[in-house]
Amino acid sequence: HRVDRRQRKMCIETAPGEREVRALIAEGATNSQIAARLVITQDTAKSHVKRILRKLGAGNRVEAAAMYLRARS
């Protein structure tokens, strides 16, 4: 399954904080792990994750991680 241009563009063109969160999602980090690594609240981490899933049109974290990893290759 290939990443379409829109998804690839969204993987590249997001806010700097979201880039860090996307990378952590791709590593399999939970919201609490993301929060601890970025020194943010779990609610903020959850908001970032939801926003990223929405922007990518991903149904879940695994799909978002796969899109991120494919777009980087």
Side-chain angles (χ1 to χ4, degrees), residues 20-62:
E20 292 176 280
V21 174
R22 275 193 344 256
L24 292 169
I25 290 170
E27 291 176 15
T30 64
N31 289 347
S32 61
Q33 291 167 330
I34 291 168
R37 291 268 298 273
L38 300 179
V39 193
I40 58 177
T41 67
Q42 287 188 35
D43 285 342
T44 301
K46 185 176 179 180
S47 293
H48 284 315
V49 170
K50 284 182 179 182
R51 190 175 315 111
I52 290 165
L53 295 179
R54 191 171 41 250
K55 280 184 176 183
L56 295 175
N60 56 50
R61 297 166 83 98
V62 173

Side-chain angles (χ1 to χ4, degrees), residues 1-40:
H1 181 308
R2 292 186 47 99
V3 176
D4 68 32
R5 282 191 177 140
R6 180 185 157 277
Q7 290 169 331
R8 185 177 181 91
K9 184 177 179 182
M10 292 308 297
C11 283
I12 295 167
E13 296 181 1
T14 53
E18 290 178 355
R19 286 184 209 127
E20 292 176 280
V21 174
R22 275 193 344 256
L24 292 169
I25 290 170
E27 291 176 15
T30 64
N31 289 347
S32 61
Q33 291 167 330
I34 291 168
R37 291 268 298 273
L38 300 179
V39 193
I40 58 177

